[in-house]
Each structure stands twice: as C-alpha cells, then as structure tokens.
Amino acid sequence: MNRRYRKTVIAGNWKMNKTPAEAKALINEIKETIGKVKWCDVIVCVPFVDIPVAVKATKGAKISVGAQNIHFEPKGAYTGEISADMLKELGVKYVIVGHSERRTYHGETNETVNAKLHASIDGGLTPIVCVGETQAQRDMGISKDIIRAQVKTAFYKIPADRARKIIIAYEPVWAIGTGLTATPAEAQEICSEIRAVIRSLYDARIARAVTILYGGSMNPANAAELLAQPDIDGGLIGGASLKAETFVPICVL
Ligand code: PGA
C-alpha cells in the first residue's frame, strides 16, 4: 500500500448476514475493541435493512456504512430495487458494485456495473467496484484479459475527476468464501495490472491516486502480507468481517 498517495481502506462485506439487532450488536462489539485505527478507513457494508441501525451505531466512531448494491436508475418502476438517493438519505457513504455473487446469481454484467458506477457517483456515493477472474479463466491463463475488460468497461465514460475517487476491489472468484487466498505476489501482480489499466485510460496521477483492495478469504493471519504489497491499498473482507474478533485485528494491523 502507499498511504502517501492514496486512501487505505478495510471494508467488511457482510453479504446476507445479520439482522438489524445482530448488526447493532456486532458494530458495538467492533467499537469496543477497535481503539484508534491509524492506517485505514473502516467501512461496514451491510444488508439494506440494517442500514439505519448501522448508521446510528457508528455515529461518533470512525466507521462508515456502505451498501452492497444499488440500482442504476435514480427512480422508477423497478420493483424491489434501491436507488442512490435512498441510500444517501440514510447516511450511506459507500456502495459495493459488481460483486461476483451479483454477477453470478443476479445477472450483472460489465455493462450494468458501468451503469451502476455512474449512478453511485451521480448520487454522491463512493463505489467499491469488484473485478475478478473465475477458476476456469485462471486455468486458461486469461486472468489479466478478463480483469482488463472488466476494468475498462466499468470505467467507460467515467470522467477523470470522478475516476480517481472510485475504489476498485480485486476479488478472484476462486478465492471468495473458499479459504483459498491469492498469494501476495499473485494479488500484487493483478492489482498492479489494474493500476496500469487506469493509467492507460487516464494518466499516471490518477492511477497513483486510485485505491485498490484485495478480497478473497482475507483474514488476520494473511492480511499483513497482502497489505504489504505496493499496489494493495486495503481489503474487502467477507467471512472474517462477521465477527469482531476476526475483523478488528485486520483494521488495527
Ligand atoms: P470472503 O469474501 O472474505 O469471505 O472470501 C470476500 C468478498 O466476497 O467480498
């Protein structure tokens, strides 16, 4: 990571876990044990229904609340969907866009991810956009091609002044929830490639300013080595974010 040029972030992705009462309890536990976090911004990305409780519970603590999805239109006949304005009004600051589980189970494509990035930025939210190759793509040796296409389409028509604020998460699909982690060298190689794509789309200054996270079975035992890589500026943490005892140690490394 490089704290001189860019923001460093540890974000929990709770996925479909924790009722509002459980969310309140977990955030209180995190607050009690986290103390002063020096090196990163801490975010918890919670289910929609937990947002009001999470915003209230994090008040006064240096923890921000994120959502896990957003619709690409600002309003309209989209039954079951949630817009940027709705999230913003509740006090949400960040939103995960294009998580592989949404790509796999909810039909998200590189194009909807791009539309959602525009919607998040237009709505005043900071997106955390996820990219990553599957095991099959890795086996075929096309990881970098997949990542390049994902990043290029995600950033399509995003102006430079906005691009620099977008957080990118490299999450190899084969490492998510599996207990398998990319080696620090593997993760660094792809994160550096992502930065190179941003450099080619914009310029060196913007590439240097963009925060890139690693996600995929990050835990207190492997976090330090991953975060020591020059192009890894933080983590998107799934399983280990569901308990204070495994999330907090990553935040206070
Ligand atoms: P994991 O999930 O840490 O449980 O692998 C990461 C993610 O999906 O964001």
Side-chain angles (χ1 to χ4, degrees), residues 7 48 51 65-71 82-97 116-128 158 162 165-167:
K7 200 156 115 128
F48 289 132
I51 289 170
V65 175
Q68 299 172 11
N69 184 31
I70 187 178
H71 195 264
I82 303 281
S83 74
D85 280 356
M86 294 169 187
L87 297 172
K88 186 95 203 287
E89 191 172 311
L90 289 180
V92 168
K93 298 265 188 315
Y94 296 87
V95 60
I96 297 174
V97 171
K116 288 179 176 205
L117 275 193
H118 282 278
S120 331
I121 297 167
D122 290 346
L125 301 170
T126 299
I128 303 173
I158 303 270
R162 295 174 152 210
K165 297 190 187 116
I166 294 175
I167 299 171

Side-chain angles (χ1 to χ4, degrees), residues 63-111:
I63 302 171
S64 302
V65 175
Q68 299 172 11
N69 184 31
I70 187 178
H71 195 264
F72 49 78
E73 291 293 345
K75 62 166 76 155
Y78 299 100
T79 303
E81 295 291 330
I82 303 281
S83 74
D85 280 356
M86 294 169 187
L87 297 172
K88 186 95 203 287
E89 191 172 311
L90 289 180
V92 168
K93 298 265 188 315
Y94 296 87
V95 60
I96 297 174
V97 171
H99 189 279
S100 77
E101 284 148 18
R102 299 222 45 98
R103 293 180 192 250
T104 304
Y105 307 128
H106 301 277
E108 293 212 8
T109 62
N110 286 344
E111 290 70 29

